[in-house]
Amino acid sequence: MSQSREKRLFSHRLRDANSAFLPARQQPGQPTRVGFVLLPHFSMMAFTAAVDALVTANLVQASPLFTFASYGLDGTRVRSDLAIDISAQATLDQLPLDGDTAPDVVIVCGGFRCDLNEQALLTLKLKAAAKRQKMLGGLWNGAVALAHAGLLDGLACAIHPDNHAFAREHFPHVQVSHQVMVVSERVLTSAGPSSALEMMLALIERLHGKDTVRAIREILSSDRIADSNETRLTLAENDPGLPEPLRNLLHLMNNNIEEPLGIEELAAYVGLSRRRIERLFQSHLETTPSRYYLELRITHARRLLLQSDDSIANIAVACGFVSSTHFSHCFKDFFGVSPSQARQLRRG
């Protein structure tokens, strides 16, 4: 099967599997619109973590996957928990629920000192959004607003531990979870900054698949400090949850980008059969060894393309492609644009 046909079949399967999770009235291929409602004293870290996931998602694809806007309860200047005023795009009463600018996902951003009393307009907006089958979310204690609107009855939700007692007392029909993140078909909730990022990655995975999330994680984890106090890229090969033979294979692939190893060579290095290697990749990464290796090389090529002035021919050679033509075909098949177009878009 050709790479382009394999890609098309994969895309169709992914779209079919995730069609149930597309926000209501969102057209396939169109950016998902996300609206953040910022409560006074909202958690800046939780909000920026959520936005960072969306911004990075747009960076790893040729065309934007998301757009987002923020809304204040009473005004466009909202004070965060860090006493820093943030300029929202509009006020809550201006949040549209129909039309081309209406968000597909509405997320309430709470924080440690947020007022937990019901906000009448917010309740009305959330109920109207639910009626239109929008996805709804809550960061930190943003789930309290969803509970006031009766949208969590019979559901589990994540909320900051400081607010567990309040939530259990006021919302007996809501299951307050000890998990830091709870994601259901239409509702996403998280209890803090780290889980806010994970919540958004869960949403992105549903809509755009694991490959996109893996690319986002690679970018966002690039400054994590290893035990040796050296800064290094945190890749799947460092994931202790993966079997050691698989991590060894990933290590070999990462260290042989310019001259890729064949499957038989990989098998010889790690002492496993070809079939065993294929099963490891399918079981733990849900892909094939060749597909993962291609993704690794083409992603590395994209970095060189966007971050340097090297010629496309040199980049192709540096990433193990036999010719510039083959590289361009693979790049366009993976990212939807040619290498030269990707470079022009970034410069533009």
Side-chain angles (χ1 to χ4, degrees):
M1 181 183 295
S2 70
Q3 287 181 348
S4 60
R5 177 166 171 75
E6 181 186 23
K7 176 70 173 181
R8 287 196 298 271
L9 290 176
F10 174 78
S11 298
H12 287 317
R13 289 196 298 269
L14 180 63
R15 185 174 64 241
D16 292 342
N18 290 322
S19 60
F21 302 115
L22 281 174
R25 283 188 281 278
Q26 182 192 344
Q27 297 298 317
Q30 294 297 314
T32 301
R33 298 180 296 273
V34 182
F36 292 96
V37 179
L38 306 179
L39 302 180
H41 309 296
F42 71 95
S43 168
M44 178 74 86
M45 287 185 66
F47 172 57
T48 53
V51 170
D52 201 7
L54 302 182
V55 172
T56 309
N58 289 343
L59 292 176
V60 302
Q61 295 293 339
S63 57
L65 301 181
F66 296 91
T67 62
F68 61 91
S70 54
Y71 301 86
L73 283 186
D74 304 311
T76 56
R77 294 192 68 80
V78 188
R79 176 145 296 194
S80 72
D81 59 344
L82 301 180
I84 297 174
D85 290 339
I86 297 297
S87 294
Q89 275 84 4
T91 55
L92 181 60
D93 63 315
Q94 297 172 314
L95 190 157
L97 295 175
D98 296 298
D100 294 339
T101 61
D104 304 299
V105 185
V106 179
I107 298 175
V108 182
C109 304
F112 187 74
R113 293 191 292 119
C114 285
D115 185 353
L116 300 181
N117 291 316
E118 183 175 7
Q119 306 292 328
L121 179 58
L122 181 55
T123 293
L124 288 174
K125 286 285 187 178
L126 292 174
K127 284 183 176 181
K131 187 175 181 179
R132 291 163 173 77
Q133 295 186 304
K134 309 283 187 182
M135 285 186 177
L136 301 173
L139 305 181
W140 198 289
N141 49 23
V144 169
L146 302 179
H148 277 304
L151 303 176
L152 295 180
D153 288 354
L155 299 178
C157 74
I159 194 170
H160 194 277
D162 283 337
N163 305 121
H164 280 195
F166 175 91
R168 290 194 177 102
E169 177 69 23
H170 289 80
F171 310 112
H173 300 296
V174 177
Q175 180 187 341
V176 179
S177 175
H178 288 289
Q179 300 295 321
V180 296
M181 178 184 75
V182 176
V183 176
S184 61
E185 183 175 344
R186 289 288 172 189
V187 180
L188 312 93
T189 53
S190 65
S194 296
S195 54
L197 173 62
E198 293 301 318
M199 184 188 90
M200 299 307 292
L201 291 178
L203 173 63
I204 294 168
E205 182 175 322
R206 281 184 171 186
L207 298 177
H208 300 289
K210 291 187 176 181
D211 287 350
T212 299
V213 170
R214 187 157 56 228
I216 294 170
R217 287 190 186 280
E218 187 173 326
I219 292 174
L220 295 184
S221 65
S222 62
D223 63 347
R224 290 181 183 173
I225 305 301
D227 293 338
S228 62
N229 290 325
E230 294 177 354
T231 302
R232 65 181 182 182
L233 193 63
T234 303
L235 299 168
E237 67 177 87
N238 301 314
D239 184 352
L242 296 179
E244 184 176 358
L246 179 56
R247 283 186 279 129
N248 290 338
L249 286 164
L250 300 183
H251 181 74
L252 283 168
M253 289 179 172
N254 277 298
N255 285 277
N256 291 276
I257 297 291
E258 186 170 351
E259 297 182 7
L261 300 172
I263 185 69
E264 301 299 340
E265 291 177 288
L266 291 168
Y269 274 116
V270 297
L272 296 175
S273 68
R274 180 188 186 118
R275 180 60 182 153
R276 174 60 178 159
I277 290 174
E278 291 172 345
R279 285 200 298 266
L280 281 172
F281 273 84
Q282 194 61 50
S283 298
H284 296 279
L285 299 177
E286 298 183 6
T287 189
T288 64
S290 60
R291 181 67 185 175
Y292 182 91
Y293 213 165
L294 175 62
E295 178 187 337
L296 191 68
R297 291 160 51 215
I298 208 75
T299 302
H300 183 66
R302 184 175 183 272
R303 291 197 201 97
L304 295 177
L305 187 73
L306 301 182
Q307 298 174 13
S308 75
D309 293 322
D310 289 346
S311 70
I312 292 175
N314 287 341
I315 291 173
V317 171
C319 297
F321 291 92
V322 295
S323 70
S324 299
T325 301
H326 181 226
F327 167 61
S328 295
H329 286 165
C330 291
F331 192 96
K332 187 171 183 178
D333 187 51
F334 197 82
F335 291 112
V337 294
S338 68
S340 58
Q341 288 172 326
R343 181 170 270 176
Q344 290 170 1
L345 287 169
R346 173 54 63 88
R347 287 173 176 172

